[in-house]
Amino acid sequence: METQELHRGRLIDHLQLVVRDLDASRRFYQAVLDVLGVPIGGEGEDWFWADELFVSSTGSEAALGRPTGRHHLAFQARDRAAVEAFHRAALAAGGLDNGAPGERPYHPGYYAAFVLDPDGNNIEAVYHGPAERSADSVRVSFAD
């Protein structure tokens, strides 16, 4: 990773998905991350990353030659409109519908949409309702 600064403070340090078709996954994740306001942080010939998500091809050094299994990954959305935009963008970028935007029974105000990415991973965008954050993220800078 070419960065010397990260944003940390949440539960997950990183999640790696090893995919069969990196170009298809790059198009899919670029589209959904764009509508969620999360930039691609870096990329190379056989990988890319955004925030805590690292995606690589089966040929990458970190992949051990095989795709990861099916995962459920939920992205935080800032509001219901972002959940709806996520769903539209995901479908337009090759995702398959796995649950249209709507209220879910998990807790009051849980509004989410689900799509399957090009490798069959269940990708969700969720808005939990109005909330106040103490900070957007925690900045961690590494000394040279």
Side-chain angles (χ1 to χ4, degrees):
M1 194 171 0
E2 70 277 354
T3 188
Q4 290 299 307
E5 183 175 281
L6 302 172
H7 292 257
R8 292 288 186 246
R10 297 177 292 252
L11 173 64
I12 303 299
D13 182 77
H14 70 277
L15 171 70
Q16 180 180 3
L17 298 177
V18 179
V19 300
R20 291 183 300 264
D21 184 338
L22 188 67
D23 291 336
S25 291
R26 176 71 160 81
R27 284 189 300 277
F28 175 85
Y29 285 101
Q30 179 75 61
V32 300
L33 292 171
D34 280 351
V35 300
L36 295 173
V38 178
I40 297 293
E43 62 184 308
E45 183 178 323
D46 55 7
W47 56 270
F48 65 89
W49 67 271
D51 203 65
E52 284 89 4
L53 177 63
F54 185 83
V55 180
S56 63
S57 69
T58 56
S60 72
E61 186 176 337
L64 303 176
R66 60 184 183 273
T68 50
R70 183 172 171 183
H71 296 286
H72 175 166
L73 172 61
F75 294 116
Q76 295 176 14
R78 69 187 162 280
D79 53 30
R80 287 178 173 221
V83 170
E84 294 162 3
F86 157 86
H87 191 255
R88 285 190 305 273
L91 296 180
L96 298 175
D97 180 42
N98 201 31
E103 292 265 348
R104 300 297 192 265
Y106 310 130
H107 68 69
Y110 195 110
Y111 190 83
F114 301 84
V115 295
L116 299 179
D117 77 1
D119 283 87
N121 294 298
N122 187 32
I123 309 302
E124 173 185 4
V126 57
Y127 173 63
H128 291 282
E132 184 177 319
R133 290 178 180 258
S134 61
D136 287 335
S137 65
V138 175
R139 181 175 290 162
V140 178
S141 296
F142 298 96
D144 289 337

